[in-house]
Amino acid sequence: MNYLNTDSLILEEKSIKDVATISKPKNNQIKKIEIIYGYDPLCGWCYGFSNEIKTVIDDLKHIADFKLVNGGIFAGLRGLKMGYISEHIKKNMENVSDRSGRLFGANFLKLLNNTHYSYDSKKASIAVAIMRDVFSEGTFEFASDIQTAFFKYGKDIQADSTYIELLEDYPIDINYFLDRLNSKIEAEKVELEFLNTQLLGFEGYPACAIKMNGITEILNQGYLDASQIISKILYKMEEIKCN
């Protein structure tokens, strides 16, 4: 999965404790910021990054809103048959696990041998978009659940049955969800989302951008630890306040 260029810029890390010292903004300070997370369900580094983004959210949710957007790097016409990508994945799984601690399961290893399996993230991306629309507070957890189902348990993310199983933990009508999941309208909407995500300037995933006072700036394109992401966010906030 070395199609992802890990951000090698390592800032001097500010202590996560610094987050607690940030006061509520006054009228002459920056407004509440938004962190935009660029994600693809079939991105192995995004799977590894899921615990990091959760830590960032938990630590900064009092000063920032968080939004997940689908990148679509393996979706639709960009999707592949497993036979074309399985060896590439096998060579890079160890890197993901060493960096993140997240493991790839035995059933996923079996799935890698299914050369005709559709390595296409469009349906899973639609599922995440629907969750974001109908139960926004569950978006990040659901996005992580999809990746755990695929990379750890080898579940078929092209099958409705996988989503039926995952939705048991969410207050959503399953039939309603499945109707939207398989609709042409939702497929067209997510294609537009892929385009809008590209316009943000993301070129590698996982990626994060910060939006403050109407200005969006990319923080990372590739895997970083939570503490590094937090440091970058705090640095940007201080930079804006000082200007």
Side-chain angles (χ1 to χ4, degrees), residues 10 17 22 33 62 71 112 116 170 185 196 200 205 241:
I10 308 298
K17 293 180 180 179
I22 298 178
I33 63 174
H62 67 293
L112 286 175
H116 297 290
Y170 296 89
I185 292 175
N196 288 334
L200 289 173
Y205 292 85
K241 285 195 288 187

Side-chain angles (χ1 to χ4, degrees), residues 1-4 40-47 73-74 78-98 102-105 107-115 117-121 147 150-152 157:
M1 299 174 193
N2 55 11
Y3 49 81
L4 299 172
D40 188 278
L42 294 186
C43 166
W45 280 106
C46 293
Y47 168 61
I73 56 175
F74 292 112
R78 297 168 293 282
L80 300 166
K81 292 298 182 183
M82 184 68 86
Y84 289 101
I85 196 171
S86 59
E87 289 303 316
H88 185 66
I89 294 171
K90 290 175 184 178
K91 290 178 182 178
N92 287 277
M93 289 190 305
E94 185 176 351
N95 294 331
V96 174
S97 295
D98 286 347
R102 303 216 68 190
L103 302 177
F104 296 80
N107 286 334
F108 175 69
L109 296 180
K110 292 179 182 178
L111 185 60
L112 286 175
N113 295 323
N114 182 352
T115 58
Y117 184 78
S118 178
Y119 205 82
D120 186 331
S121 61
Q147 293 188 314
F150 183 69
F151 289 112
K152 185 174 182 179
I157 63 167

Side-chain angles (χ1 to χ4, degrees), residues 33-39 49 53 56-57 61 64-71 128-129 132-133 136-137 139-140 143 192-193 196-197 200 202 207-211 216:
I33 63 174
E34 181 178 65
I35 305 300
I36 304 168
Y37 170 43
Y39 154 99
F49 187 67
I53 190 64
V56 175
I57 293 171
K61 59 188 176 184
D65 292 323
F66 288 84
K67 179 181 180 181
L68 183 150
V69 295
N70 287 297
V128 172
R132 188 181 59 212
D133 181 43
S136 61
E137 55 265 50
T139 304
F140 283 83
L192 180 59
E193 181 178 344
N196 288 334
T197 299
L200 289 173
F202 292 154
C208 292
I210 184 170
K211 184 176 181 180
T216 301

